[in-house]
């Protein structure tokens, strides 16, 4: 079966947008960033909130954005503002932050790293603690591993807490056809190598000369837009690298098989968006989903707009067309 493009998506979507992220600006949007401490050890965690317009008493939509790894909300702020504008301000948006994944290092940063299971537990606790004002309930928008985390939360907490899941370039299963993924998995399973790279990054990040730091990190940030590049340079620290790489190790270990029964339970409440050339969410996996009789009815969409890739949050001018059911 050929992949369905956006023009072929059924009318189940209440909102269809065709605007470029770069073409949307929301100068009047109120954005609140805060750091909370979670768990017995009070691990720093970031959250970003964008409430509905003041004229809206009970917003139609309540969206929680669950990032990919690294789970730093600041990288998704531009995308969240875009969604807010495209939904005419009739939406509450929160960007969830992973435990220990922060833009900056804080005085009480522990340096601990957290597994995928730690973050799954953290997301569920966060969702149980919040109250939605929306008329239609809460929808999770998960990017990459955030899609897997979102589906897990809906399955464990029930549809009374999570109404549905939109997965953006979902990393839900190891791509056994990808040589790059095999290579990355091998690297993150070598603990001394991870700690060595983390130490080197930490040393560079501590350099007192901003221009030298910018030059040293340019191979990483060179293709990014200005704002994401600045965020990345702030984020690049020893504890950041350990958290990203060692959580990634547990992702590779956990996502070796598909729990078809879980997907079947939530097929009518799950939408997945893919883009060409993405080894984390490859098109052959999308086609496999579409061939599964037990998952018939689950929405899978191929993003046809040019310039969209897995790392769309690092490029302000990426065009991501978005459907919200």
């Amino acid at each position: 079966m050929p992949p369905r493009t956006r023009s072929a998506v059924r009318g189940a979507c209440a909102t269809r947008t065709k605007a470029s992220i770069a073409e949307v600006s929301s100068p009047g949007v109120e954005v609140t960033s805060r750091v909370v401490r979670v768990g017995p050890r009070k691990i720093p965690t970031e959250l970003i909130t964008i409430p509905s317009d003041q004229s809206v008493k009970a917003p139609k939509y309540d969206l929680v954005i669950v990032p990919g790894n690294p789970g730093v909300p600041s990288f998704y702020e531009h995308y969240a503002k875009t969604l807010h504008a495209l939904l005419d301000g009739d939406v509450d948006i929160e960007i969830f932050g992973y435990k220990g994944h922060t833009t900056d290092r804080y005085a009480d940063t522990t340096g601990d790293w957290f597994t995928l299971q730690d973050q799954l537990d953290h997301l569920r606790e966060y969702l149980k603690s919040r109250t939605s004002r929306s008329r239609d309930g809460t929808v999770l928008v998960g990017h990459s591993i955030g899609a897997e985390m979102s589906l897990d939360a809906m399955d464990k907490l029930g549809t009374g807490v999570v109404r549905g899941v939109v997965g953006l370039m979902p990393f839900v299963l190891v791509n056994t056809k990808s040589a790059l993924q095999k290579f990355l998995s091998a690297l993150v399973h070598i603990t001394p190598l991870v700690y060595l790279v983390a130490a080197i990054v930490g040393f560079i990040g501590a350099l007192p000369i901003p221009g030298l730091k910018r030059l040293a990190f340019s191979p990483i940030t060179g293709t990014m837009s200005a704002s994401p590049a600045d965020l990345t340079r702030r984020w690049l620290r020893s504890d950041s690298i350990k958290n990203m790489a060692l959580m990634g190790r547990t992702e590779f270990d956990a996502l070796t098989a598909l729990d078809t029964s879980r997907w079947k339970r939530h097929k009518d409440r799950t939408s997945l968006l893919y883009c060409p050339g993405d080894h984390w969410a490859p098109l052959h996996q999308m086609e496999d989903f579409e061939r599964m009789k037990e998952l018939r009815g689950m929405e899978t969409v191929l993003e046809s707009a040019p310039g969209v890739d897995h790392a769309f949050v690092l490029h302000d001018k990426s065009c991501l067309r978005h459907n919200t059911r």
Side-chain angles (χ1 to χ4, degrees):
M1 177 185 296
R4 290 178 288 172
T5 61
R6 191 160 304 274
S7 61
V9 174
R10 294 181 304 244
C13 298
T15 299
R16 176 169 294 171
T17 60
K18 295 184 178 180
S20 165
I21 285 179
E23 295 168 354
V24 176
S25 61
S26 307
V29 171
E30 176 188 349
V31 179
T32 302
S33 301
R34 67 188 190 277
V35 178
V36 298
R37 269 69 181 177
V38 299
R41 298 193 61 194
K42 304 299 181 185
I43 304 299
T45 302
E46 293 176 344
L47 296 170
I48 291 179
T49 303
I50 304 178
S52 60
D53 289 348
Q54 292 183 354
S55 60
V56 177
K57 292 184 179 179
K60 178 175 178 58
Y61 303 103
D62 176 38
L63 302 182
V64 175
I65 297 174
V66 183
N69 181 9
V72 179
S74 300
F75 286 106
Y76 292 79
E77 183 177 330
H78 183 73
Y79 172 62
K81 289 180 178 178
T82 300
L83 287 182
H84 192 276
L86 294 174
L87 295 172
D88 298 321
D90 195 9
V91 58
D92 283 341
I93 298 178
E94 289 187 344
I95 312 175
F96 165 81
Y98 291 8
K99 184 189 299 186
H101 291 222
T102 56
T103 307
D104 298 298
R105 182 178 177 86
Y106 298 95
D108 55 352
T109 296
T110 64
D112 294 347
W113 68 272
F114 302 93
T115 65
L116 174 60
Q117 187 61 55
D118 291 332
Q119 304 297 357
L120 292 172
D121 296 341
H122 171 44
L123 176 60
R124 290 198 301 272
E125 289 301 315
Y126 161 74
L127 291 171
K128 288 190 292 186
S129 71
R130 66 188 298 275
T131 302
S132 172
R133 301 189 304 134
S134 167
R135 306 190 296 273
D136 290 341
T138 299
V139 172
L140 304 186
V141 180
H143 173 225
S144 193
I145 190 63
E148 168 66 22
M149 294 172 62
S150 298
L151 187 64
D152 176 83
M154 181 166 62
D155 190 55
K156 300 287 177 55
L157 299 178
T159 55
V161 177
V162 179
R163 175 197 165 204
V165 168
V166 177
L168 307 179
M169 299 86 173
F171 179 42
V172 295
L173 185 67
V174 170
N175 181 2
T176 58
K177 296 181 181 181
S178 170
L180 178 57
Q181 276 195 30
K182 292 177 182 177
F183 176 68
L184 292 173
S185 178
L187 289 183
V188 297
H189 279 85
I190 305 174
T191 302
L193 179 61
V194 172
Y195 277 73
L196 174 61
V197 173
I200 293 172
V201 169
F203 173 78
I204 296 172
L207 291 174
I209 305 173
L212 188 57
K213 184 192 303 185
R214 181 183 295 266
L215 179 63
F217 285 148
S218 60
I220 299 172
T221 62
T223 62
M224 299 179 188
S225 298
S227 179
D230 288 340
L231 283 170
T232 300
R233 283 188 287 268
R234 288 166 56 188
W235 169 81
L236 280 167
R237 306 182 306 275
S238 177
D239 63 284
S240 299
I241 297 300
K242 285 186 286 187
N243 256 297
M244 179 184 68
L246 297 177
M247 177 183 167
R249 173 199 294 181
T250 65
E251 294 172 36
F252 285 123
D253 292 343
L255 302 180
T256 56
L258 201 66
D259 182 355
T260 308
S261 62
R262 184 188 66 171
W263 287 87
K264 184 179 179 180
R265 286 193 294 272
H266 303 294
K267 65 179 182 179
D268 295 328
R269 295 179 178 269
T270 303
S271 299
L272 304 178
L273 178 71
Y274 292 80
C275 66
D278 184 1
H279 72 88
W280 296 109
L283 296 188
H284 70 80
Q285 285 183 5
M286 180 178 113
E287 292 163 357
D288 289 343
F289 277 134
E290 293 186 328
R291 282 191 290 265
M292 292 180 184
K293 293 181 180 179
E294 59 267 45
L295 298 185
R296 188 167 295 161
M298 186 174 74
E299 184 178 57
T300 55
V301 178
L302 176 61
E303 177 58 70
S304 57
V308 176
D309 60 19
H310 193 87
F312 70 93
V313 294
L314 302 180
H315 312 288
D316 289 346
K317 293 185 179 180
S318 291
C319 175
L320 182 61
R321 302 174 183 180
H322 194 83
N323 284 328
T324 303
R325 289 203 276 188

